[in-house]
Amino acid sequence: MDERRGDVGNGHGHGRAAGPADGPPPSAARDDARGRPGGTLHRFVSFVARILRSEWHGMVVEPFRQLLSRGLSGLVLAFVAAFGVIFFHAIAQHPAGATVVRLTGGVKASLPLPLALLRTPVSLYVPALDLPVWAGITQLFLAFALAELALGRARTLAIAYITTLAGTLLVRVMIAMGPGWWGLGLPPKTGQVLDTGPSAAVVGLFTYLAVVRRAPVVFALTGGSMVWESVAEPNLAGREHLIAVATAIVLGLLQERGRRPLRALTVLLHSRRADGRPTVAPDLWKPPVPPSSTETPSMAESSVLPGPPDPPDPANRARDSRAQLR
């Protein structure tokens, strides 16, 4: 009987059945790759966790550390803004006080531009008529507190004022355009609407912080809520909030773009300083100076450092030993 020769032992046969050493089928390998720690789901969860941890550190932990180091002096703008809104709200409850508030902080698009610019800083503390005061005060205090601790007082005031002023000026442009223009223009009657309140400054500060601190969750909540507000209830405040968001994004991107050349210049200066410093210990040995024409050979030889002595000659050593014996 013929014996069929095969390559079962050496593993080179073409017709052998798949065993455990061949590994699982491709579908099972894909399922296992999704489930094990290096899979797609795990990487996605790790990515989201890193973003949230970085955002929590930049938006909460670092400002809290600044608060612990600076104390209540780091919340001066937040307290001034909150008490300013409370003060003007209390005054506006009386007829005479309402007249004072209107003459000092009431801004309308129908006013002359110089007068509107003069009243714009005060209008930040005049509460809007269609928004709840106490809920707005909480958001106002939180926005100014985080911005002052993270950005400083000067930049916080600049961002708050620029975003508010951008809304005031662009509304005038929209009214001048008139109705139409794919929904960008506004009717002339909008110029009679009272344009006050710190809401544009609050939205601008949150958006600017989200851009410079790379906080996508805060950015989505701020920008998304403003877009939803403009779609659900289109009014003058919604337009100004969108303008404040866009202005804050531009300011944040310009800040990041200006920081890169400054960082590159700092690295370049440090590298140049490092290149100017000696990297190794200085060589204390200096080569001998060649003798000049005025020096004699004996002077030149005396200036040369003495070298090691020559080894003694064996013949001279034997002669010296015989002389000592005599």
Side-chain angles (χ1 to χ4, degrees):
M1 184 175 60
D2 294 337
E3 182 179 359
R4 181 174 299 178
R5 300 175 62 185
D7 296 327
V8 178
N10 54 15
H12 294 288
H14 299 284
R16 65 186 181 91
D22 295 331
S27 59
R30 286 195 298 267
D31 296 338
D32 185 50
R34 294 174 184 173
R36 63 173 190 260
T40 306
L41 180 61
H42 179 75
R43 288 196 297 268
F44 177 75
V45 173
S46 301
F47 175 72
V48 173
R50 285 196 302 269
I51 290 179
L52 294 178
R53 184 169 57 251
S54 175
E55 184 168 352
W56 172 261
H57 184 79
M59 296 294 294
V60 179
V61 176
E62 289 187 5
F64 185 72
R65 289 177 179 173
Q66 292 290 330
L67 178 61
L68 292 179
S69 62
R70 296 168 58 183
L72 294 179
S73 62
L75 302 177
V76 173
L77 290 181
F79 282 114
V80 170
F83 286 135
V85 173
I86 295 173
F87 174 74
F88 280 101
H89 175 69
I91 290 179
Q93 303 304 315
H94 305 281
T99 304
V100 173
V101 172
R102 180 176 56 82
L103 294 177
T104 57
V107 176
K108 296 180 181 180
S110 59
L111 293 175
L113 183 59
L115 183 59
L117 294 178
L118 187 63
R119 294 181 180 181
T120 299
V122 185
S123 69
L124 287 171
Y125 304 101
V126 178
L129 300 178
D130 55 345
L131 295 177
V133 178
W134 298 106
I137 289 175
T138 304
Q139 298 178 2
L140 174 68
F141 184 86
L142 183 60
F144 272 88
L146 288 176
E148 185 177 1
L149 292 172
L151 307 174
R153 294 176 186 172
R155 200 191 303 182
T156 300
L157 286 175
I159 298 301
Y161 183 72
I162 290 174
T163 51
T164 303
L165 186 62
T168 301
L169 296 179
L170 287 181
V171 163
R172 289 174 171 265
V173 175
M174 293 178 182
I175 293 176
M177 292 169 59
W181 294 88
W182 298 282
L184 295 177
L186 292 174
K189 63 179 182 179
T190 312
Q192 302 299 325
V193 178
L194 189 63
D195 182 17
T196 59
S199 57
V202 172
V203 172
L205 288 175
F206 274 124
T207 305
Y208 184 85
L209 281 172
V211 172
V212 298
R213 290 302 177 94
R214 293 176 177 85
V217 177
V218 176
F219 181 81
L221 292 177
T222 305
S225 61
M226 294 303 102
V227 172
W228 172 254
E229 175 190 357
S230 300
V231 173
E233 187 178 356
N235 53 12
L236 181 62
R239 294 287 185 96
E240 290 192 345
H241 292 167
L242 290 180
I243 294 172
V245 169
T247 305
I249 292 174
V250 173
L251 293 176
L253 294 178
L254 290 177
Q255 172 68 22
E256 290 297 311
R257 186 176 179 181
R259 189 182 300 175
R260 292 176 182 175
L262 182 61
R263 188 181 306 168
L265 180 61
T266 305
V267 173
L268 181 61
L269 290 177
H270 282 292
S271 62
R272 286 186 176 180
R273 290 178 183 176
D275 292 340
R277 297 172 185 171
T279 56
V280 295
D283 193 358
L284 300 178
W285 183 84
K286 295 182 180 179
V289 181
S292 59
S293 59
T294 59
E295 291 182 349
T296 61
S298 60
M299 296 174 60
E301 290 175 1
S302 63
S303 63
V304 179
L305 294 176
D310 295 332
D313 192 0
N316 295 334
R317 187 184 302 173
R319 238 185 349 260
D320 295 340
S321 60
R322 286 197 300 268
Q324 288 177 3
L325 290 175
R326 290 177 184 176

